Amino acid sequence: MLWTSPSPDAEEAPLSGPRSSGPEREIELKFLCEPRDLDALLAAAPEGETELKALRATYFDTPDGRLKARRISLRVRESGGKHVQTLKRGDGFGREEYEQRVEALDLDMPALKKALTGPRRRALAPAFTVAVERRQRVVTYHGAAVEIAADLGTIQAGDARREISELELELKAGSPRALFDLARELSKTAPLYLSYEGKAAQGQALGDGALLAPRRLEKIALDADLSAAEAFQVIARASLSAIAANAALVRETSDEAALHQLRVAVRRLRSAIAACADLVGDAEAPGIRAGLKWLAGTCGEARDLDVFIASLEGAPEAALLAEPLAQARAHAYAKACAALSSGRFRDLVIEAAAWIETGAWVAGPGKAPAQRRAEPARAFAARALAQRWKAWKRLAGDFETLDVAGRHRLRLKAKGLRYAAEAFASLFPARPAARLVTRVKALQDELGALNDAVVAKALLDGLRLDLAQREAATSLVAARARTGKRGLKRARKAAERVAESEKFWR
């Protein structure tokens, strides 16, 4: 269970790796919840002595955001007259953590010296502050020691301010499975939304004015020495993190771009599970895949309407159809937001995280599963990419005979190939990998354009239209059909260009 970080500049040494004895490894789950639910959650938690703390932390970074870019946070936290300096690296479930008592920011902290050169350390300045009232207790649960912390407070970055209400479960000793078991139990008491956004990430986004910005999946950088299991975890965590972050934004703002990025992240996670099926195909995997399929479907209508409405810009039919389309869009977003607020969604994210970190596939018995997990990531990726390629090529070879449904299947196969290529690209030469991804994306676009007429007809058939609007819809569908036929030649050419691409994983 390893997180990677961007490669440092030559002048800045990497921090000690997760296998070193230097850093502590913080293992925690963080949940967003309503302030009114914190009392009930603590009451439902295992009993223990509750400690009240007033915590105020100042987070530091360079003017150009050097630490943020390397997924590092640096803070000095004050509580009860004591100051503790903490540097963390990574995101999500497991992070490296370095701590020491200080009077003020210590630029000679060994981990900090490894992260930044002297001039950059001297350029460090306060970036934002976090002030919370924390209720904290350490409990024994399923044989593990777990610290439960209920935080209520604010993040302040310049004039920008954000209220926070969170529940954190941190493993102090024992099996990580206990964290997920406790989360499942507490989620029966009040809605808990798993979040990968720590206070540092929230403060950084607030300071950048990007707190309410959609979360795009960043390019994944896989270390060359990762095992197949570790590589899958890195890819899967990144996707699940984007799902959680974008779902929170859709619930709060019904943001169109966030909904799109949510669906992209869902597709990428589904693709990763499919590409790594012989590695992660345990008894839990089908349930996770089914849940992700439901999630993609429940947001699909809203996304289709967004794309269709955007495509009408400048069309003569746009004005006549604007009102019924706006009504349909509002209804579709209401359904999507309801799904993203539901217990089914919250449970899915918790179960997916638990499966990624502690599922049977992670440490199941048997020599063969252990060998699959330990296989070098590059060798595993090469085989997975070859399988994706073969599946796409088999269908693309019959392009001339494909009907509408067949072209849709080909588009899905192309997506699977592209997502696998993007996920594993950092393990192979960059240029041929990028070339293949570009060509597959062009094919997706052409196949998507061919599908426009089908999608348009389905969407318009579902609207309540008067006579004039129905005539406009019929005219629009006919125009899309004519455009689609002209696009067959472009799609065929795009498929040929993909077929001619270098198989960069060989």
Side-chain angles (χ1 to χ4, degrees):
M1 288 180 271
L2 173 68
W3 275 98
T4 62
S5 64
S7 298
D9 290 348
E11 64 178 340
E12 293 172 351
L15 294 174
S16 300
R19 296 181 181 86
S20 74
S21 60
E24 294 292 328
R25 186 164 180 268
E26 180 188 58
I27 299 176
E28 70 174 9
L29 297 175
K30 183 184 298 291
F31 297 92
L32 307 179
C33 59
E34 292 295 325
R36 63 177 179 270
D37 291 329
L38 288 175
D39 288 342
L41 288 164
L42 286 173
E47 294 183 356
E49 183 177 351
T50 300
E51 185 178 3
L52 304 178
K53 292 184 176 181
L55 305 177
R56 180 176 178 83
T58 300
Y59 286 75
F60 296 83
D61 206 342
T62 61
D64 60 352
R66 194 70 178 177
L67 292 181
K68 176 189 173 184
R70 301 188 67 213
R71 292 178 179 163
I72 296 172
S73 67
L74 175 68
R75 76 177 183 222
V76 174
R77 173 184 281 173
E78 187 275 330
S79 177
K82 298 178 182 179
H83 295 79
V84 176
Q85 180 168 316
T86 304
L87 185 146
K88 297 182 183 182
R89 187 185 81 167
D91 307 287
F93 185 66
R95 295 182 291 178
E96 293 178 37
E97 181 180 76
Y98 305 79
E99 283 194 342
Q100 64 183 49
R101 289 279 300 275
V102 296
E103 295 298 326
L105 180 65
D106 181 5
L107 299 182
D108 292 324
M109 181 185 199
L112 181 57
K113 291 176 72 174
K114 289 183 178 181
L116 294 176
T117 60
R120 287 200 171 104
R121 293 201 306 279
R122 290 189 290 274
L124 287 168
F128 57 90
T129 60
V130 176
V132 299
E133 296 293 327
R134 168 170 290 184
R135 286 176 286 173
Q136 175 181 303
R137 73 175 69 142
V138 177
V139 303
T140 299
Y141 186 80
H142 290 189
V146 179
E147 180 182 274
I148 303 172
D151 288 347
L152 190 61
T154 60
I155 302 175
Q156 187 88 31
D159 294 331
R161 182 181 175 92
R162 172 86 169 180
E163 305 295 325
I164 53 174
S165 176
E166 301 174 343
L167 186 78
E168 295 181 2
L169 306 178
E170 182 176 350
L171 186 69
K172 294 299 184 180
S175 170
R177 290 186 178 87
L179 289 184
F180 293 102
D181 290 340
L182 182 54
R184 293 182 181 102
E185 182 175 325
L186 294 177
S187 67
K188 298 174 184 176
T189 299
L192 291 176
Y193 295 93
L194 184 63
S195 173
Y196 287 81
E197 304 290 307
K199 295 178 179 66
Q202 294 180 64
Q204 290 163 347
L206 185 65
D208 292 342
L211 189 62
L212 297 180
R215 168 69 75 82
R216 295 179 63 89
L217 268 172
E218 298 177 1
K219 183 178 180 180
I220 295 173
L222 299 175
D223 288 347
D225 62 347
L226 290 183
S227 68
E230 290 170 329
F232 173 77
Q233 287 180 316
V234 171
I235 295 165
R237 289 182 192 124
S239 297
L240 191 59
S241 173
I243 290 170
N246 286 303
L249 185 54
V250 173
R251 289 194 300 269
E252 187 170 345
T253 67
S254 294
D255 185 87
E256 175 182 331
L259 182 81
H260 173 52
Q261 292 302 325
L262 166 64
R263 295 188 75 237
V264 169
V266 171
R267 289 198 300 266
R268 288 183 183 275
L269 182 51
R270 292 176 68 190
S271 175
I273 295 171
C276 302
D278 59 343
L279 171 69
V280 302
D282 60 16
E284 300 170 74
I288 302 298
R289 295 182 68 175
L292 292 170
K293 184 177 181 179
W294 162 80
L295 180 56
T298 199
C299 298
E301 182 183 357
R303 176 59 185 166
D304 286 344
L305 282 162
D306 284 337
V307 172
F308 181 62
I309 291 170
S311 75
L312 289 182
E313 185 176 354
E317 300 89 354
L320 269 174
L321 296 173
E323 183 176 350
L325 282 171
Q327 292 174 350
R329 182 184 184 278
H331 180 65
Y333 264 85
K335 289 198 300 184
C337 288
L340 297 176
S341 301
S342 68
R344 182 174 183 178
F345 171 77
R346 296 191 299 271
D347 291 346
L348 169 62
V349 178
I350 292 175
E351 293 305 326
W355 176 72
I356 292 166
E357 306 297 346
T358 66
W361 75 272
V362 176
K367 183 177 180 180
Q371 289 176 336
R372 286 195 295 269
R373 291 192 295 268
E375 182 181 12
R378 195 178 190 280
F380 177 85
R383 190 168 61 256
L385 286 164
Q387 291 170 350
R388 299 281 99 183
W389 174 266
K390 185 177 180 180
W392 175 83
K393 189 73 179 294
R394 185 185 304 117
L395 194 56
D398 298 325
F399 188 92
E400 299 294 341
T401 64
L402 294 177
D403 57 10
V404 171
R407 290 194 295 269
H408 179 62
R409 290 196 301 274
L410 181 62
R411 186 170 174 234
L412 295 180
K413 294 295 185 185
K415 283 184 179 180
L417 175 59
R418 174 190 165 194
Y419 292 153
E422 289 178 333
F424 293 122
S426 60
L427 297 171
F428 301 96
R431 184 169 296 178
R435 187 179 299 119
L436 175 65
V437 168
T438 298
R439 290 179 178 181
V440 175
K441 187 177 185 301
L443 174 62
Q444 285 180 238
D445 291 342
E446 295 296 347
L447 292 173
L450 288 174
N451 199 46
D452 277 353
V454 178
V455 174
K457 187 177 188 308
L459 289 175
L460 292 169
D461 284 347
L463 301 180
R464 293 184 178 181
L465 303 176
D466 60 28
L467 180 59
Q469 291 168 334
R470 180 61 60 190
E471 290 177 348
T474 301
S475 173
L476 185 63
V477 170
R480 292 288 173 92
R482 290 192 296 272
T483 301
K485 289 180 181 178
R486 290 195 297 270
L488 269 172
K489 185 177 181 179
R490 293 194 301 272
R492 187 186 306 112
K493 184 63 176 177
E496 290 172 356
R497 285 178 60 80
V498 174
E500 295 166 357
S501 300
E502 178 183 351
K503 300 175 185 64
F504 63 85
W505 53 88
R506 287 184 171 177

